[in-house]
Amino acid sequence: MNPIQPREDDELIGAILGAADEASRCIQGRSIDEVLATPDARETLRRCATDLGTAAREVSEMMRNWASHIPWESMTAIGEDAPAADDGAVRALWGFMHQQLHQVRGDLEEMWRPAHLRREVDPDETYALDKNAYDFYRPVGRNLLQRTEEFHGWVEARRRTETWQYSRVLEASPGSIARITNDVGRRTQGINFNSQDYLSFNAHPAIREAAARALHDYGPHSAGSPMVLGNTRISDALEAELGDLLKMEHLTLFPTGWGAGFGSMVGLVRQEDHVVIDRLAHACLQQGARAATRNVIRYEHLNLESVRQHLKDIRARDSRNGILVVTDGLFSVDADWPDLVMLQDICRQHDATLLVDVAHDLGAMGPGGTGVIGMQELLGKVDLVMGAFSKTFASNGGFLASRSAAVKQYVKMFGGSHMFSNALSPVQSAVVLEATRILRSPEGEVLRGRLFKAIHALRDELSRRGLTCMGSPSPIVPLLIGNEKLARIANRRLFDRGVLAFMVEFPVTPTGSSRFRLQVQAAHEPQDALEAARIIDESIAEARAYLSSAFGSGLA
Amino acid sequence: MFDAIVIGGRCAGAATAMLLARKGHRVLMVDRSTFPSDVISTHFLWPHGTSYLNRWGLLEKVLAVTPSHTELELVHDGISLSGGVPEDLLRQSFQQLHGDDTGVVRRYCSVRRRVLDKILVDAAGEAGVEVREGFTVEELLTEGSRVVGIRGRTREGTRVEERARIVIGADGRNSFVARTLKLPRFDERLQCTFAYWGYFSGFDAGRAHLMRRGRMGAAIVPTNFGQNMTLVFGPSEWSEAFRRDIPGNFQRALDFVSPEFGEQVRTQGQREERLYGTLDQAAFLRPLHGAGWVLVGDAGCFKDQCTATGMTHAFRDAELVSAALDGWLAGRQPLDAALKHYEDRRRSQSAAAYYDYVCTLAEMKPLRHDELQLFVSLRGNQEETNRFIATHADISPVSEFFQASNLLLINDAAKESSRGHAIFEQFESTSRQYLHNPFAA
């Protein structure tokens, strides 16, 4: 290394500050004339002026151009070419010390001291806001129990700062208004966009009556797998009713919607097969795909041209194995849907099978409650339709529908979650059956009319306030926030101000695209929607001010 | 009366001035410096950075004197990944930002500011910009609350006043425009890195190497004049101890992060200049526009050096703001709408996610087990490795890489296990050791 190097900038800044400090001590309380009249003091100041000026002149060009707010010229002028006998250097230093040093010292220290040490923060809140769930996905260590601790520590920090949106509990029926307690025991009551009960069937007298009757006739328990003795006449009737709604005669019931998605995938797809899946399709389908085969291709959301290309590529190298193309009907965090007519057509052209998950749209949208498939006039024409009862049908459970008796029997046997789970309980089956009958009746049309009135009111009011509603009008109104910190703080405000909204973030949404998923019910009055939109808008503004955030929620 | 006055004549300013002048507008650009001139910068240009230069017809001039590559190496605690940015992601990024992907190239390079800024200033002059070097702006002229021009001192010391329809602050992190207008800072992230670097000749590093170990990072990237920009960086709270012996600790840090490069620099490296350093890197955003003014580059949004995107983002801003201002100057849209469009691009949710990503990295926390395992999983998956590099460089949205179905899929398809990577042997105790300040006495 070359031993002859100029001093580094740090050293030079230190020298400038050191000379200034020494000059300050020397000047203390004296006037310029007193200093000049005192030989020692004059000498000291002259030396300080030389040191300060020399150091300032040596500061690198890089640093001067970067720290352009520092008056380098004033400092370099000090002591420049001043004869030893002249007092010019001392006077220049004196002027600098009185007019500029205070500001310069502050600016230099800002550049030289770690900025974060200047500010007090709540470490819990910082930790809670900074991290995302994916940070804890691969824990460390060989002890399966101990290695969950780090994640738990984060959850605790989020709980303490009330930024944990999960595990809230209901204190009463979740209608358009709900009473809830958060997981540190604080209660609130508010306008409820946090429950999935699109047609408000949870409170419907006929549905409650059907549940009571089934409870009376069969008791609370299904007492067996549907393949053993878990089914009842109610479940048979339900399969028939749903099959009629979808114009697909072969229905298989599952005890949960998750089980229906996962079971359909692992039942039908073999290891050599291929799954081509929308990258935002529901988690039960994503995980089912990965459990069934390593040949999983995630295509860009709704991009049918990329599906076409993938199918072409697969068929070019594999003409022997199956391809399952998977999409949601209504995407539950983006509120949009694919062109199913074209997608089914593309699948047929490449000998691929299409599976559509209609969990969120069936019953709540479309002519006669037939969802996105009905809206696109595809009833009975899609290869496989799967869904869940938990959004509109006031119950747990799910189904797979096809036009093939063989497919039905095969998935029942090999899907796992049908054969090896207890069946839907008689109460659940009765609730879903009654819900299906109502949603197909004129009353269903009335309820969907009310639901969409509230949906439009909410979307219009949020948009009018400059907020970004994603997707198209549907029972899900995703309000884009983006930044997780902003969403978490806004969510904390909403709790206090009486609006219940589920804040979704990773792993439900990709990181950096968090949002409020507002789920609308037929029981919501447009007035509820207007009031909620106002509170949401104000809460986001408050959160932005709290975090001093300049980021908006533009979609780009 | 100019159409625009640009204060600051480096990456953001010269490019903005040049692009506006090429559209036929009358532009004055002033800078305190006389070019060629250096400024604190790690001067790395990602492929979208060089793509901008290519779109403007300047890349050839840069590459004539600057080594460039398409592949780089990322090493995290000994786990090495090599790759480059895929062209389709680059094209997507340009399409989304500018609606036009002409000139996209996959090359990256590290170009000294005294080289690059001179090329940019000359190009601005050739485009018709009135360039005044050595010009110090002393005051912003206002009418009511509207900025209408500048008052300043020429290289010869003459005081002058100039007026324009818009004043563009392209004057960097410590922006005079922002300070004069007393613009607030938003989203301040005070935790940042300290960074020290030097220029070493005497060895050939090949392509760029970006390395992390524990709380320290290092980068070795070939640059102009047959030299290698050699950088070490760490958490700013260690800076005080570090600077007690800058040359010694520089070598110590390099040895710690990469013993091989440490050895190479020690035995073959010839340092050509002093070491430079800074920890003045706390991130922030400022309002981007107001009555008569607009900010571009670091003046409007500053981030830590740890992902080396500053110059590339300055170019991006230059294209965005010049397109917006051209729309207004040419009478196609009102100024407010034009600048709102510029702001929407700059403050989009993707930009927010990337800002978070950089600021989190700048805290220099030891790499977590899950992160390291992700890097192991990426080995042997070139497509996803490239996408990770593109994400790191802000070419592909952070959200598309860090989404559940993608991370789970990478994990499932991993061809490598943690076996054979020493970091996983005693991970917990190593990780604890990393928290220790190695420069403390």
Side-chain angles (χ1 to χ4, degrees):
Chain A
M1 206 175 277
N2 184 351
I4 308 163
Q5 287 284 342
R7 290 186 284 176
E8 275 126 17
D9 291 320
D10 301 71
E11 197 181 343
L12 296 165
I13 305 274
I16 290 169
L17 290 173
D21 285 347
E22 191 181 351
S24 288
R25 281 193 298 274
C26 173
I27 289 169
Q28 223 164 28
R30 291 193 260 202
S31 70
I32 179 76
D33 292 333
E34 280 177 86
V35 168
L36 291 174
T38 315
D40 281 358
R42 195 178 60 214
E43 246 346 278
T44 303
L45 280 199
R46 190 176 285 146
R47 185 167 41 76
C48 289
T50 307
D51 290 352
L52 192 149
T54 309
R57 277 187 292 283
E58 272 186 51
V59 168
S60 70
E61 180 195 24
M62 292 222 187
M63 177 58 69
R64 285 162 188 270
N65 287 334
W66 168 259
S68 52
H69 58 308
I70 306 285
W72 301 109
E73 292 89 349
S74 308
M75 292 192 286
T76 55
I78 294 170
E80 200 169 23
D81 302 327
D86 188 12
D87 292 332
V90 175
R91 287 182 188 277
L93 179 63
W94 180 274
F96 171 75
M97 301 282 295
H98 283 80
Q99 286 154 25
Q100 291 180 295
L101 179 64
H102 181 70
Q103 180 66 38
V104 171
R105 173 173 272 286
D107 286 343
L108 286 178
E109 278 183 354
E110 199 172 281
M111 290 167 58
W112 248 247
R113 300 251 168 270
H116 65 277
L117 301 180
R118 296 196 302 262
R119 191 173 291 184
E120 293 262 326
V121 290
D122 171 356
D124 264 1
E125 187 166 291
T126 305
Y127 190 53
L129 295 182
D130 276 356
K131 294 284 175 191
N132 283 306
Y134 74 78
D135 292 333
F136 305 96
Y137 174 59
R138 294 174 184 81
V140 59
R142 57 185 178 188
N143 187 317
L144 292 173
L145 308 180
Q146 273 175 12
R147 70 189 193 188
T148 57
E149 290 296 330
E150 196 186 352
F151 172 69
H152 188 240
W154 177 63
V155 172
E156 285 299 297
R158 286 193 63 178
R159 290 181 69 232
R160 276 196 294 276
T161 52
E162 293 190 57
T163 54
W164 185 243
Q165 72 270 39
Y166 303 104
S167 308
R168 295 168 168 184
V169 294
L170 281 163
E171 300 292 343
S173 173
S176 62
I177 303 288
R179 259 205 330 274
I180 67 166
T181 303
N182 73 7
D183 81 335
V184 288
R186 229 153 52 78
R187 282 192 183 187
T188 191
Q189 173 169 315
I191 308 168
N192 179 21
F193 287 107
N194 198 169
S195 299
Q196 37 197 27
D197 186 16
Y198 299 149
L199 294 186
S200 296
F201 280 164
N202 192 39
H204 195 291
I207 284 175
R208 290 191 169 210
E209 170 59 27
R213 206 167 42 241
L215 180 66
H216 178 268
D217 293 349
Y218 290 93
H221 190 26
S222 61
S225 153
M227 294 290 270
V228 185
L229 196 55
N231 278 345
T232 61
R233 287 287 162 217
I234 308 176
S235 31
D236 288 350
L238 173 56
E239 288 187 357
E241 185 80 24
L242 273 174
D244 196 44
L245 173 67
L246 288 162
K247 304 289 176 255
M248 297 177 91
E249 55 271 44
H250 299 289
L251 259 289
T252 308
L253 297 175
F254 291 81
T256 62
W258 177 278
F262 191 90
S264 302
M265 302 294 291
V266 298
L268 290 169
V269 178
R270 297 279 77 83
Q271 278 188 11
E272 295 79 14
D273 293 333
H274 307 265
V275 174
V276 177
I277 184 167
D278 188 295
R279 68 181 177 85
L280 300 186
H282 192 266
C284 66
L285 300 165
Q286 303 278 0
Q287 296 202 6
R290 288 168 29 235
T293 175
R294 290 174 75 125
N295 304 326
V296 179
I297 293 174
R298 296 154 55 256
Y299 64 88
E300 194 188 330
H301 181 50
L302 301 184
N303 186 338
L304 302 196
E305 281 316 305
S306 97
V307 175
R308 190 196 301 278
Q309 192 57 48
H310 286 307
L311 296 188
K312 213 171 132 191
D313 294 348
I314 294 169
R315 278 298 173 232
R317 62 178 196 275
D318 183 354
S319 57
R320 299 166 55 167
N321 294 297
I323 310 174
L324 185 65
V325 175
V326 183
T327 181
D328 287 8
L330 170 64
F331 281 85
S332 67
V333 286
D334 283 42
D336 50 11
W337 51 81
D339 179 343
L340 291 174
V341 177
M342 190 195 276
L343 186 56
Q344 180 65 73
D345 191 41
I346 292 169
C347 289
R348 299 244 156 87
Q349 286 169 15
H350 295 87
D351 272 342
T353 303
L354 177 64
L355 183 148
V356 181
D357 173 1
V358 295
H360 283 271
D361 52 304
L362 188 69
M365 299 170 70
T370 51
V372 168
I373 288 176
M375 286 160 63
Q376 301 191 28
E377 298 178 355
L378 275 178
L379 280 180
K381 296 177 189 161
V382 171
D383 294 332
L384 294 167
V385 176
M386 132 312 111
F389 303 132
S390 46
K391 329 296 173 188
T392 302
F393 298 79
S395 173
N396 280 5
F399 67 88
L400 174 70
S402 75
R403 291 187 310 279
S404 155
V407 165
K408 172 174 176 166
Q409 199 55 253
Y410 195 84
V411 171
K412 282 167 73 161
M413 183 66 89
F414 295 110
S417 48
H418 179 83
M419 172 107 163
F420 295 102
S421 286
N422 246 29
L424 278 172
S425 74
V427 171
Q428 290 172 317
S429 301
V431 162
V432 178
L433 179 59
E434 187 61 23
T436 310
R437 284 178 184 149
I438 298 172
L439 68 87
R440 301 184 75 193
S441 73
E443 188 188 354
E445 289 302 329
V446 172
L447 289 172
R448 279 187 292 277
R450 278 195 206 147
L451 171 65
F452 271 81
K453 217 168 152 186
I455 290 166
H456 287 298
L458 183 61
R459 291 184 73 99
D460 291 351
E461 184 64 11
L462 289 168
S463 305
R464 194 185 68 73
R465 290 173 173 275
L467 300 172
T468 308
C469 293
M470 301 170 70
S472 301
S474 74
I476 297 157
V477 179
L479 178 68
L480 184 68
I481 304 294
N483 182 281
E484 285 82 5
K485 298 177 189 195
L486 194 59
R488 290 171 193 168
I489 297 295
N491 196 37
R492 185 165 74 183
R493 300 258 158 181
L494 282 181
F495 182 89
D496 291 336
R497 302 189 57 174
V499 169
L500 311 182
F502 187 53
M503 194 275 276
V504 284
E505 58 176 300
F506 185 95
V508 185
T509 61
T511 175
S513 62
S514 65
R515 65 203 66 162
F516 287 107
R517 184 173 71 178
L518 306 167
Q519 292 182 296
V520 188
Q521 305 172 20
H524 281 125
E525 296 295 333
Q527 205 46 44
D528 297 333
L530 300 185
E531 174 72 355
R534 180 183 65 79
I535 295 172
I536 290 169
D537 185 15
E538 287 171 5
S539 298
I540 293 170
E542 286 166 15
R544 187 166 282 141
Y546 177 78
L547 291 171
S548 166
S549 173
F551 281 114
S553 57
L555 273 171
Chain B
M1 176 83 162
F2 290 93
D3 290 321
I5 294 175
V6 182
I7 302 177
R10 293 182 183 274
C11 290
T16 304
M18 175 191 74
L19 293 171
L20 282 172
R22 284 183 181 180
K23 300 265 187 196
H25 305 297
R26 193 168 169 239
V27 184
L28 168 67
M29 181 176 88
V30 298
D31 198 288
R32 296 165 70 105
S33 307
T34 51
F35 295 90
S37 155
D38 262 322
V39 65
I40 283 188
S41 166
T42 50
H43 52 74
F44 187 79
L45 275 174
W46 287 98
H48 41 333
T50 55
S51 296
Y52 284 112
L53 290 174
N54 198 36
R55 286 155 77 86
W56 306 335
L58 303 177
L59 185 61
E60 265 184 38
K61 282 187 187 171
V62 172
L63 295 193
V65 291
T66 312
S68 70
H69 300 85
T70 54
E71 303 242 308
L72 51 80
E73 186 188 35
L74 293 174
V75 187
H76 299 91
D77 271 289
I79 302 160
S80 170
L81 295 169
S82 290
V85 178
E87 187 174 321
D88 59 328
L89 293 182
L90 270 166
R91 290 198 180 282
Q92 253 173 45
S93 167
F94 273 89
Q95 280 291 353
Q96 275 164 9
L97 270 170
H98 308 292
D100 159 25
D101 63 5
T102 51
V104 159
V105 287
R106 294 183 58 229
R107 302 200 85 74
Y108 66 83
C109 67
S110 175
V111 50
R112 287 289 295 262
R113 300 300 293 271
R114 71 171 77 146
V115 174
L116 177 66
D117 294 2
K118 175 69 176 155
I119 291 172
L120 288 167
V121 168
D122 288 349
E126 283 157 24
V129 174
E130 185 170 333
V131 178
R132 295 190 199 160
E133 300 178 25
F135 186 102
T136 307
V137 180
E138 294 176 326
E139 210 179 320
L140 294 178
L141 294 178
T142 52
E143 278 174 9
S145 60
R146 186 172 191 83
V147 177
V148 294
I150 57 170
R151 188 174 287 132
R153 197 161 24 88
T154 66
R155 192 177 351 189
E156 294 75 29
T158 317
R159 287 210 146 72
V160 293
E161 250 183 50
E162 297 292 357
R163 287 169 180 263
R165 296 176 69 190
I166 187 95
V167 172
I168 301 165
D171 46 352
R173 184 179 197 279
N174 296 305
S175 167
F176 169 81
V177 176
R179 282 168 186 265
T180 307
L181 294 170
K182 296 192 167 41
L183 300 181
R185 291 176 170 198
F186 298 117
D187 283 281
E188 277 193 278
R189 306 295 175 83
L190 301 182
Q191 282 181 290
C192 63
T193 69
F194 73 86
Y196 280 85
W197 68 99
Y199 298 95
F200 290 82
S201 58
F203 64 95
D204 179 10
R207 55 194 174 168
H209 305 267
L210 311 176
M211 300 161 285
R212 276 283 306 267
R213 184 177 170 205
R215 301 196 74 192
M216 293 301 296
I220 297 197
V221 193
T223 183
N224 310 95
F225 319 121
Q227 297 168 10
N228 297 291
M229 196 283 296
T230 305
L231 166 83
V232 302
F233 56 103
S236 57
E237 62 260 37
W238 288 359
S239 61
E240 206 170 340
F242 185 95
R243 61 164 79 107
R244 282 188 207 125
D245 171 15
I246 292 169
N249 284 332
F250 183 88
Q251 184 65 50
R252 208 162 291 143
L254 205 52
D255 286 337
F256 172 76
V257 178
S258 170
E260 307 86 67
F261 276 112
E263 171 76 10
Q264 192 163 27
V265 168
R266 188 185 316 101
T267 56
Q268 301 167 34
Q270 172 73 33
R271 177 148 65 87
E272 299 292 346
E273 295 173 36
R274 73 177 92 181
L275 290 169
Y276 301 99
T278 180
L279 64 77
D280 191 16
Q281 301 200 96
F284 61 80
L285 310 171
R286 289 191 178 113
L288 285 175
H289 56 89
W293 59 270
V294 57
L295 300 184
V296 286
D298 283 354
C301 169
F302 180 81
K303 298 181 298 298
D304 192 87
Q305 58 76 36
C306 63
T307 56
T309 45
M311 287 161 45
T312 298
H313 281 166
F315 291 166
R316 172 203 62 188
D317 291 0
E319 270 217 13
L320 288 175
V321 85
S322 58
L325 291 176
D326 174 54
W328 164 63
L329 290 166
R332 289 194 302 275
Q333 62 176 333
L335 180 60
D336 285 353
L339 292 180
K340 178 76 175 57
H341 183 74
Y342 167 61
E343 181 176 291
D344 285 349
R345 303 271 145 172
R346 289 283 310 270
R347 301 281 149 90
S348 68
Q349 60 154 341
S350 307
Y354 188 72
Y355 184 79
D356 268 345
Y357 176 78
V358 176
C359 295
T360 307
L361 278 185
E363 294 174 12
M364 299 302 286
K365 300 267 169 62
L367 290 159
R368 299 184 314 268
H369 197 266
D370 63 280
E371 289 173 304
L372 292 166
Q373 283 211 317
L374 176 65
F375 297 133
V376 170
S377 302
L378 283 173
R379 282 170 61 89
N381 186 343
Q382 197 59 50
E383 195 180 332
E384 286 298 326
T385 298
N386 291 348
R387 206 146 75 83
F388 173 73
I389 292 170
T391 303
H392 185 79
D394 196 25
I395 290 163
S396 177
V398 171
S399 63
E400 292 193 4
F401 187 82
F402 292 102
Q403 70 174 259
S405 59
N406 196 46
L407 295 181
L408 298 173
L409 203 68
I410 291 170
N411 199 52
D412 287 355
K415 295 185 176 72
E416 275 207 33
S417 80
S418 59
R419 277 192 302 276
H421 296 286
I423 178 64
F424 296 108
E425 296 295 324
Q426 300 287 333
F427 182 82
E428 283 164 277
S429 58
T430 308
S431 205
R432 265 197 304 277
Q433 263 171 31
Y434 281 161
L435 298 174
H436 232 63
N437 182 351
F439 313 110

